[in-house]
């Protein structure tokens, strides 16, 4: 190790490296140090980790499409047909017919006029606020919005208002007291830590009352909520009232990568002119664009997949709370936080579940407030009844053993 360091470290100042070392020590002593867990198989319901077969309950693979044969075949064909990469941003020579086709498929799915593709939804969020808003405008953001929304807002010069999580009184107060040319309300559709859903019906009412626009980040909701998977706006039956939707192809929709903004055509056109992650970053890989179109084809033809996801979600939630666990979130949300109490309980619980072959993640302080440690389960339409029952049984066994229930 010493010799290795000698070869690869420069021999004068190590100031930055030492600072990093100290920061890592701090993170470790706070208990927040993250260790990557390494899968030895494709992403699926049954995976291999540390040479052990596990049932996976912690992926964003809500429709079980990550290793879907149809997607693999289309992507493989797309790779041969369209080549590996674009070597260009979109506006120079990085747009192929498949990128335009995918944008049309996205618009059609969300019933919007136009769409713009990014390599990730993080990029969509990073680019949108600065491109659309000026210091004359104001943005109203839920306190628990995703990190990429927070960063995107930081990059813009609009007035910034953060309202308490899901708190419509607080939002109204802030809308009422703020003078601005454009008022833009932004919220996650589904919040991934607490498994709750933004009350879009109420947000729409406030937007009408205070002449505001609405941007919803549907990353955990597209392909998840609603009878046909159109997300939170469909769930609340307010699709027309939502001005802008940002979402990802990296979760329910195949779990590959790619993000997008969809909405009014002038908004999308302005983003193509001004959004920096769009203008200054490479195009989506052609075969991923091809795969994305296949995802929209698959979900258009299979409404039953959303019904199955919803039934499994309700079944799991009912069984787990029936066992005496305290769970958070909306009963239609496949993200199920199961509360365990103190930090040590969460760590022990996670390890016991792992030995039962159930793969779940534990969150404890400082990621969530002290004393609110939890494991987060994510249900997928790819889980069979047997998978669900095995997980429920493990929760019962370990819950009793650790005296949580
Ligand atoms: C995951 C997520 C993103 C980032 O999506 P990527 O396409 O993986 O960059 C953005 N917003 C929310 C709410 C998310 O959950």
């Amino acid at each position: 190790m010493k010799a290795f360091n000698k070869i690869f470290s420069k021999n004068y100042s190590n100031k930055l490296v030492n600072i990093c070392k100290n920061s890592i020590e701090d993170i470790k002593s706070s208990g927040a140090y993250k260790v990557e867990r390494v899968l030895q198989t494709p992403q699926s319901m049954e995976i291999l980790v540390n040479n052990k077969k596990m049932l996976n309950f912690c992926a964003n693979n809500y429709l079980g499409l990550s290793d879907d044969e149809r997607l693999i075949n289309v992507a493989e064909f797309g790779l041969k047909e369209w080549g590996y990469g674009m070597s260009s941003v979109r506006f120079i020579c990085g747009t192929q017919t498949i990128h335009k086709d995918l944008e049309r498929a996205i618009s059609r799915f969300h019933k919007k006029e136009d769409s713009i593709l990014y390599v990730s939804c993080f990029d969509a969020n990073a680019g949108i606020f600065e491109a659309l808003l000026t210091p004359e405008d104001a943005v109203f953001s839920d306190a628990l919005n995703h990190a990429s929304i927070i960063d995107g807002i930081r990059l813009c010069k609009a007035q910034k208002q953060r309202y308490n999580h899901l708190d419509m009184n607080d939002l109204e107060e802030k809308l009422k007291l703020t003078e601005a040319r454009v008022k833009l309300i932004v919220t996650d559709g589904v919040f991934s830590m607490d498994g709750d859903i933004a009350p879009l019906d109420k947000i729409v009412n406030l937007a009408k009352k205070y002449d505001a626009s609405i941007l919803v980040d549907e990353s955990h909701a597209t392909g998840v909520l609603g009878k046909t998977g159109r997300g939170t706006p469909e769930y609340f039956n307010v699709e027309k009232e939502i001005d802008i939707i940002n979402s990802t192809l990296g979760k329910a929709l195949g779990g590959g990568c790619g993000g997008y903004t969809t909405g009014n055509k002038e908004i999308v056109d302005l983003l193509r002119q001004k959004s920096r992650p769009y203008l200054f970053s490479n195009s989506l890989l052609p075969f991923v664009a091809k795969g994305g179109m296949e995802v929209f084809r698959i979900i258009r033809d299979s409404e039953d997949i959303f019904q199955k996801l919803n039934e499994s979600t309700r079944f799991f939630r009912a069984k787990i709370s029936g066992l005496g666990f305290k769970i958070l979130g909306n009963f239609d949300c496949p993200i199920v936080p199961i509360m365990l109490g103190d930090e040590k309980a969460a760590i022990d619980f996670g390890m016991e579940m792992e030995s039962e072959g159930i793969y779940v993640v534990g969150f404890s302080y400082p990621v969530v407030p002290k004393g609110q440690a939890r494991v987060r389960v994510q249900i997928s339409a790819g889980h069979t009844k047997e998978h669900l029952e095995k997980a429920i049984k493990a929760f019962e066994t370990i819950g009793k053993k650790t005296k949580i229930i």
Side-chain angles (χ1 to χ4, degrees), residues 120-122 125 146 148 188 217 219-220 248 251 258:
S120 72
C121 186
F122 200 109
N125 286 333
H146 190 260
S148 53
D188 284 13
D217 180 337
S219 293
H220 281 281
T248 183
K251 288 178 177 138

Side-chain angles (χ1 to χ4, degrees), residues 123-138:
D123 278 352
N125 286 333
I128 193 165
F129 300 98
E130 199 231 2
L132 298 184
L133 304 178
T134 72
E136 288 178 80
D137 306 317

Side-chain angles (χ1 to χ4, degrees), residues 3-164:
F4 181 88
N5 281 344
K6 252 193 196 129
I7 296 166
F8 290 103
S9 303
K10 56 181 188 171
N11 53 13
Y12 47 105
S13 171
N14 273 328
K15 210 163 148 188
L16 178 59
V17 174
N18 287 334
I19 290 169
C20 291
K21 230 183 243 169
N22 291 339
S23 299
I24 289 170
E25 287 311 317
D26 289 348
I27 295 169
K28 280 187 174 162
S29 59
S30 80
Y33 189 80
K34 295 177 281 299
V35 182
E36 291 174 3
R37 301 190 283 181
V38 181
L39 274 59
Q40 298 159 282
T41 51
Q43 183 63 276
S44 194
M45 301 305 123
E46 294 176 10
I47 52 175
L48 200 64
V49 184
N50 286 331
N51 297 318
K52 188 171 156 60
K53 251 179 93 171
M54 305 275 269
L55 279 181
N56 193 358
F57 279 88
C58 58
N60 303 316
N61 187 12
Y62 298 110
L63 298 178
L65 294 177
S66 301
D67 63 341
D68 189 277
E69 280 297 327
R70 293 165 292 184
L71 285 184
I72 294 168
N73 289 338
V74 166
E76 198 178 14
F77 185 70
L79 192 54
K80 298 209 167 106
E81 192 182 17
W82 292 97
Y84 176 71
M86 286 313 298
S87 304
S88 170
V89 298
R90 284 287 299 274
F91 79 97
I92 296 180
C93 56
T95 300
Q96 293 168 318
T97 46
I98 42 173
H99 295 95
K100 297 311 268 182
D101 290 346
L102 177 56
E103 285 172 342
R104 264 193 296 276
I106 291 166
S107 311
R108 214 177 306 126
F109 178 72
H110 287 287
K111 301 178 182 166
K112 298 289 181 210
E113 285 178 2
D114 202 0
S115 304
I116 170 173
L117 271 177
Y118 292 84
V119 195
S120 72
C121 186
F122 200 109
D123 278 352
N125 286 333
I128 193 165
F129 300 98
E130 199 231 2
L132 298 184
L133 304 178
T134 72
E136 288 178 80
D137 306 317
V139 57
F140 303 80
S141 175
D142 187 289
L144 292 192
N145 275 344
H146 190 260
S148 53
I149 294 177
I150 295 169
D151 286 6
I153 290 174
R154 276 188 192 144
L155 292 170
C156 82
K157 296 203 169 67
Q159 295 179 60
K160 291 148 198 169
Q161 299 280 358
R162 199 175 91 130
Y163 62 91
N164 297 331

Side-chain angles (χ1 to χ4, degrees), residues 340-392:
L340 299 173
D342 73 19
E343 285 42 66
K344 185 167 178 322
I347 293 165
D348 292 348
F349 200 91
M351 279 188 336
E352 294 279 358
M353 288 300 279
E354 210 161 309
S355 66
E356 295 282 317
I358 306 294
Y359 209 35
V360 287
V361 259
F363 294 102
S364 51
Y365 180 81
V367 180
V368 293
K370 254 203 161 81
Q372 291 185 34
R374 62 194 70 174
V375 288
R376 184 179 70 176
V377 168
Q378 288 170 286
I379 303 298
S380 169
H383 288 130
T384 62
K385 193 84 177 214
E386 291 70 44
H387 292 153
L388 297 173
E389 271 162 358
K390 189 159 177 233
I392 292 160

